[in-house]
Amino acid sequence: MSDVARLAGVSPITVSRALREPHKVSDKLRETILEVVEEIGYVPNFAARALASRHSGIVAVLAPIMDMSGFFHAARGVEERFLTSDVSTQFANIGLNAAEEAKLLRLFVAQNPAGIILESVAEFPVNKPLIAELGCPVVQMMDTSIEPLDMGVGIRNRAAATAAVEHLLEQGYERIALLGGGKDIRSRRRFEGYRDALLRAGRYDPAYVFESESGNPMEQGVKLIHNLKRRMPEVDAVFCHNDRLAMGVYFGAQQMGIRVPEEFGICGYNGVDFAEMEESPLTSVYVPLYEIGFKAADMIMRYLTEGVRPETAVELPFEIIKGNSTRR
Amino acid sequence: MSDVARLAGVSPITVSRALREPHKVSDKLRETILEVVEEIGYVPNFAARALASRHSGIVAVLAPIMDMSGFFHAARGVEERFLTSDVSTQFANIGLNAAEEAKLLRLFVAQNPAGIILESVAEFPVNKPLIAELGCPVVQMMDTSIEPLDMGVGIRNRAAATAAVEHLLEQGYERIALLGGGKDIRSRRRFEGYRDALLRAGRYDPAYVFESESGNPMEQGVKLIHNLKRRMPEVDAVFCHNDRLAMGVYFGAQQMGIRVPEEFGICGYNGVDFAEMEESPLTSVYVPLYEIGFKAADMIMRYLTEGVRPETAVELPFEIIKGNSTRR
DNA sequence: GTGAAAGCGCTAACAC
DNA sequence: GTGTTAGCGCTTTCAC
């Protein structure tokens, strides 16, 4: 930076200002400075900036990445929102237990992040005080059923699951199983929504609720349909917690010669791959993951620039994609 | 840190050493120090550490993330290797043009990364000098056909594609189309491998080569099969550049009542979802993505700890998963 | 609108 | 094996 300052005939602090707070520097000087910056290819040192300014300019996204439960699309939304800002994004994978959650939270807090975005995190009461002390904006994304600690954005997973199961009922399926995954808030809400719909229809049976084990979801789906047909042949549809489980069920049905949708209906969840198709092969609940990520990042940005919390909780719409796997 | 030092009755530098180079501190002191650290919940400030030590302790992974061309699994491998180290990983999305590549490279260089892992990056000759100046270990991952600038790990995509197409030929498919994507090195090698196999069999026809447009790969797959059946009904199989394109083709075939594999064969690429299934629904080329990522990270770590380049180029094996989409 | 001085929290280099 | 000194490259504060 001092090189730039020398070449532009100003002091280092003016260069610093020209870069971060352009309005505080006269037009002429700013122009000269930016030219020199361009010329010598100066790039500021993040570490020094973070150390001096006491914030890193990094927004940390903590999520159970390895679930691949659509995190990817949300991450894209986050990145794209920050693209035009000087905030950069860092992703960290987080498991779903209180101790690990606390450890990662503490680690990030110590790095003075500009903001934190949490997905299915901070659900343990024990860690709530940690978040309260954070001193930076926090957005919890994905489900709106919990009161956000600071800000929140998501969909109503419970209502979405209910709508999906009601669609299955409307199509005439009568014994609807659940292939679930995970213990996080979204999974619990999906289960509740499933149960709501079936209780109302007088068709709820806990024996039809299956937890997928960890591992390859497509394989889990194949296994499920094999087990169902062997042990509960009366089941004629399944509501899956994500699309890859659903595709596994679909492929398994193909292998066994079970006709989809005539004999067996399949509904997935997330639907990002199918939302824009003219004719979707799979029925699914479309979750606006990209938009959720974008909005989460936007809330952080607005807090950072305007100093006020734009909204506390934002609810985005979901949609049932009626595809060929339940059309009959 | 000075708090810890005071409470432990030592100087700050000793605390620093106890944390980073434990062997340089006597057992007794180290124990006391670590106790105090635990007690007051001290967490080092990364920015200060990076500024003072001139390296950030961050390994940057630059990849065309948004392609979702299996990046995800490689990323898991990278993360898992670094989990037990004090290196942390940062991912950045990179497009596939020289200018953007140069910009991102420059940005990361300025942050003094501990290492850089590149996927389908640094293919532009104009950017090679940039990498040479880097001063940190660099691993290029995914394809072994190019001479790595520093270190490399991957598979032989050209040979893998040839093997896949030969499998299709063995199964009796005669007019084999290609549904390709992207312009990066892997995609080019896959095309070459496809061409190699068909030229050798006297069956290569450039009219059967299709570039998928950007956008939803599953939708691209559906479109392809529609177009093929309308305009080139003689085509009886397709080799796809990834599994989601292949699944799109599969679903499209279902919609149109084309029987897979009897009338039409489909082969995907990457195969991570199918590798461990007893009976895979889709034929695919299994690429050990996780292992590639893990190995890339391992090479960086070994360079960092041992100061020597462990290997220059590592080639991992691929495998053809013979699934139901070509079984006839 | 611009600059001087001080310091962010840590580590490299060297001394003991 | 431990401590002292200096400084990493930037921003804050305050003065002009």
Side-chain angles (χ1 to χ4, degrees):
Chain A
M1 193 156 100
S2 53
D3 289 349
V4 177
R6 197 163 18 77
L7 290 170
V10 297
S11 76
I13 184 61
T14 308
V15 176
S16 170
R17 282 200 271 255
L19 259 28
R20 287 175 309 110
E21 307 164 296
H23 60 279
K24 288 196 177 173
V25 176
S26 68
D27 290 2
K28 223 182 60 189
L29 267 187
R30 187 173 56 243
E31 221 166 279
T32 322
I33 291 170
L34 293 181
E35 267 168 33
V36 176
V37 165
E38 185 71 26
E39 197 182 309
I40 67 170
Y42 165 77
V43 186
N45 179 313
F46 280 17
R49 180 177 278 184
L51 184 58
S53 68
R54 286 159 207 79
H55 66 82
S56 61
I58 285 177
V59 169
V61 181
L62 273 52
I65 300 186
M66 299 319 169
D67 275 15
M68 303 201 239
S69 51
F71 159 78
F72 203 88
H73 297 268
R76 263 190 53 223
V78 172
E79 278 223 314
E80 235 147 89
R81 175 60 187 86
F82 287 135
L83 217 58
T84 53
S85 75
D86 55 358
V87 169
S88 63
T89 326
Q90 193 165 310
F91 300 100
N93 184 42
I94 195 166
L96 296 167
N97 68 73
E100 196 186 330
E101 185 177 298
K103 191 180 139 205
L104 252 182
L105 281 170
R106 240 186 269 279
L107 181 71
F108 273 100
V109 173
Q111 306 322 315
N112 298 312
I116 293 198
I117 296 176
L118 306 173
E119 177 189 329
S120 299
V121 176
E123 294 176 11
F124 303 99
V126 69
N127 287 333
K128 284 189 180 159
L130 246 174
I131 310 237
E133 295 169 15
L134 228 53
C136 71
V138 179
V139 177
Q140 286 162 276
M141 65 181 180
M142 289 312 170
D143 195 275
T144 54
S145 69
I146 45 166
E147 184 79 13
L149 296 166
D150 185 16
M151 295 179 275
V153 55
I155 68 157
R156 288 186 301 141
N157 283 285
R158 185 168 183 164
T162 298
V165 175
E166 279 172 351
H167 166 70
L168 288 169
L169 289 167
E170 277 164 24
Q171 297 296 306
Y173 298 104
E174 302 193 329
R175 317 244 171 231
I176 303 169
L178 174 79
L179 180 51
K183 301 234 170 296
D184 67 307
I185 185 82
R186 279 174 298 169
S187 302
R188 296 200 305 271
R189 293 289 175 265
R190 283 173 212 173
F191 162 68
E192 289 161 6
Y194 159 86
R195 194 184 49 190
D196 290 347
L198 291 185
L199 280 176
R200 207 174 299 151
R203 298 209 160 276
Y204 178 64
D205 184 342
Y208 294 160
V209 174
F210 298 88
E211 267 301 295
S212 79
E213 299 151 42
S214 61
N216 185 338
M218 231 174 257
E219 206 172 343
Q220 298 291 324
V222 171
K223 272 188 194 159
L224 179 86
I225 186 91
H226 278 89
N227 287 338
L228 277 184
K229 280 298 129 178
R230 188 144 30 88
R231 289 191 265 165
M232 300 175 173
E234 74 277 16
V235 170
D236 60 0
V238 62
F239 170 55
C240 301
H241 265 22
N242 66 57
D243 291 328
R244 292 167 79 223
L245 287 169
M247 284 205 250
V249 173
Y250 186 96
F251 286 130
Q254 296 270 333
Q255 275 176 13
M256 304 179 70
I258 298 169
R259 285 174 306 138
V260 174
E262 294 82 357
E263 296 173 60
F264 197 84
I266 302 170
C267 179
Y269 208 99
N270 282 342
V272 278
D273 278 332
F274 308 107
E276 283 164 21
M277 286 190 174
E278 281 175 33
E279 197 184 342
S280 169
L282 188 73
T283 292
S284 190
V285 177
Y286 174 69
V287 183
L289 295 165
Y290 176 90
E291 288 77 9
I292 289 175
F294 193 93
K295 184 71 194 175
D298 191 57
M299 289 165 98
I300 299 269
M301 268 318 286
R302 287 181 57 191
Y303 181 82
L304 255 29
T305 54
E306 296 163 25
V308 291
R309 204 159 267 99
E311 296 115 318
T312 306
V314 177
E315 186 185 306
L316 264 31
F318 59 83
E319 194 189 323
I320 306 298
I321 302 169
K322 295 171 183 169
N324 291 334
S325 65
T326 58
R327 183 155 294 149
R328 70 179 192 182
Chain B
M1 193 156 99
S2 53
D3 289 350
V4 177
R6 197 164 18 78
L7 290 169
V10 296
S11 76
I13 186 65
T14 307
V15 176
S16 171
R17 282 201 269 254
L19 260 27
R20 289 174 310 112
E21 307 164 295
H23 59 280
K24 288 195 178 175
V25 175
S26 68
D27 290 3
K28 223 182 62 189
L29 267 187
R30 187 173 56 243
E31 220 167 281
T32 324
I33 291 170
L34 293 181
E35 265 169 35
V36 176
V37 164
E38 187 69 26
E39 195 183 311
I40 68 170
Y42 165 77
V43 186
N45 179 312
F46 280 16
R49 178 177 279 184
L51 184 57
S53 68
R54 286 158 205 82
H55 68 81
S56 59
I58 285 177
V59 170
V61 181
L62 273 52
I65 300 186
M66 299 319 170
D67 276 14
M68 303 200 239
S69 50
F71 159 77
F72 208 85
H73 297 267
R76 263 190 53 224
V78 172
E79 278 223 315
E80 236 146 89
R81 176 59 187 86
F82 286 135
L83 218 57
T84 53
S85 75
D86 55 358
V87 169
S88 64
T89 327
Q90 193 164 310
F91 300 99
N93 183 42
I94 195 166
L96 296 168
N97 69 72
E100 196 187 329
E101 186 177 298
K103 193 179 138 203
L104 252 182
L105 281 170
R106 240 186 269 279
L107 181 70
F108 273 98
V109 174
Q111 306 322 313
N112 298 312
I116 293 199
I117 296 176
L118 306 173
E119 175 187 330
S120 298
V121 177
E123 295 177 12
F124 303 100
V126 70
N127 287 334
K128 284 188 182 160
L130 246 174
I131 309 235
E133 294 169 19
L134 229 52
C136 71
V138 179
V139 177
Q140 287 163 276
M141 65 179 180
M142 289 313 169
D143 195 273
T144 53
S145 68
I146 44 167
E147 184 80 12
L149 296 166
D150 186 15
M151 295 178 275
V153 54
I155 68 158
R156 289 186 301 141
N157 283 283
R158 186 169 181 163
T162 298
V165 174
E166 280 172 352
H167 167 70
L168 288 168
L169 289 167
E170 277 164 24
Q171 297 297 307
Y173 298 104
E174 302 192 329
R175 317 244 170 229
I176 302 169
L178 174 78
L179 180 52
K183 301 234 170 296
D184 67 308
I185 185 82
R186 279 175 299 170
S187 302
R188 295 200 306 271
R189 292 291 175 265
R190 283 173 212 173
F191 163 67
E192 289 161 6
Y194 159 85
R195 196 185 47 191
D196 289 347
L198 291 185
L199 280 176
R200 207 174 300 152
R203 297 211 160 276
Y204 178 63
D205 184 341
Y208 294 158
V209 175
F210 298 88
E211 267 300 295
S212 80
E213 298 152 42
S214 62
N216 186 338
M218 233 174 257
E219 205 171 344
Q220 300 290 325
V222 172
K223 272 187 193 160
L224 179 87
I225 185 90
H226 278 89
N227 286 338
L228 277 183
K229 278 298 131 181
R230 190 143 30 86
R231 290 191 263 165
M232 302 176 171
E234 76 277 17
V235 170
D236 60 1
V238 62
F239 171 55
C240 300
H241 265 24
N242 66 56
D243 291 328
R244 291 166 81 222
L245 287 168
M247 283 205 251
V249 172
Y250 186 97
F251 286 130
Q254 297 271 333
Q255 275 176 15
M256 302 177 72
I258 298 168
R259 285 175 306 138
V260 174
E262 294 82 356
E263 295 174 61
F264 198 84
I266 303 171
C267 178
Y269 207 99
N270 282 340
V272 277
D273 279 332
F274 308 107
E276 284 166 22
M277 286 191 176
E278 279 174 37
E279 196 184 340
S280 169
L282 189 73
T283 292
S284 190
V285 177
Y286 174 71
V287 183
L289 295 165
Y290 176 90
E291 288 77 10
I292 289 175
F294 193 95
K295 184 70 194 173
D298 191 56
M299 289 165 98
I300 299 269
M301 269 317 286
R302 288 182 55 192
Y303 182 81
L304 256 28
T305 52
E306 297 163 24
V308 292
R309 206 159 266 101
E311 296 115 320
T312 306
V314 177
E315 186 186 307
L316 264 32
F318 58 84
E319 194 190 323
I320 305 299
I321 301 169
K322 294 170 184 171
N324 291 334
S325 64
T326 58
R327 182 155 294 149
R328 72 175 191 181

